Amino acid sequence: MTSEKILIVDDETDILELISLYLMKEGFEVVTCQEGDQVLDMLAQHQPDLLILDVLLPGMDGIEVCRSIRKISHIPILFISCKSDDLDVILGLGVGGDDYIPKPFSPSQLVARVKAHLRRHSMIEPNQTQPDVLIFDGLEIHLSSHSVIVQQEEVNLSSKEFDLLVLLASHPKKVFKIDQLYEEIWGSDSLGDTRTLMVHISNLRKKIETDPANPVYIITIRGVGYKFNA
């Protein structure tokens, strides 16, 4: 049985109870919250391993909650929302969310995503066979400190953006299929929804490329996937 703790934030009592029931059946410890203004205090008090966060909340909404959390923590954040437009997905992932599942969703699918994120998060350790710093023209990736330097200035990447960059940069010229990248970084099947990956690629390009519309490092292989150009 797992001892990992999940904080669920949603203003709908029925949703809280449903998700809690499924997670507790899998052995997770669950704490809940219904207002965005309370989340930071809940994080400090309960020290959860993962956060399930609704976008639409009374008081501080989920987007602002995520922004605040990312200033102090790299905890995996899984957004859930009845808003499933591409712009909403882009906004949620752009402020540091790790994944986005639109309502209505299958509770078993949500549990599977939670397990995958926790498993992937626990596996992130320095690779002893890999150098601690990956150096390219105008780009440095420092593995142990999780920092990235672009043109001698440090840029702030989310945990998933950093993992994605490390994976691609560790295999220069190798073409990764979209589903393959999703499985490697998120630890689960994409279930046909590739928006999460594509948003992270877009955000990553905005942070490390001089001209994101004409990328130098992360190249799209049309109809296949992506590769890192060293």
Side-chain angles (χ1 to χ4, degrees), residues 176-205:
F176 286 89
K177 295 181 179 179
I178 292 176
D179 287 342
Q180 182 183 6
L181 281 174
Y182 192 95
E183 184 175 353
E184 289 284 345
I185 300 302
W186 280 265
S188 65
D189 190 278
S190 67
L191 301 175
D193 186 355
T194 60
R195 289 181 299 176
T196 295
L197 172 64
M198 295 174 72
V199 169
H200 276 80
I201 290 287
S202 175
N203 290 339
L204 192 51
R205 282 173 169 164

Side-chain angles (χ1 to χ4, degrees), residues 151-172:
Q151 303 299 336
Q152 300 183 343
E153 292 189 8
E154 185 169 357
V155 297
N156 183 30
L157 302 187
S158 72
S159 58
K160 285 294 186 291
E161 289 166 359
F162 182 83
D163 293 345
L164 187 56
L165 177 60
V166 170
L167 176 61
L168 290 167
S170 297
H171 303 84

Side-chain angles (χ1 to χ4, degrees), residues 126-127 130-134 141-147 162 166 170:
N127 186 337
Q130 183 169 286
D132 186 60
V133 183
L134 302 177
I141 306 168
H142 296 255
L143 304 184
S144 60
S145 63
H146 278 231
S147 60
F162 182 83
V166 170
S170 297

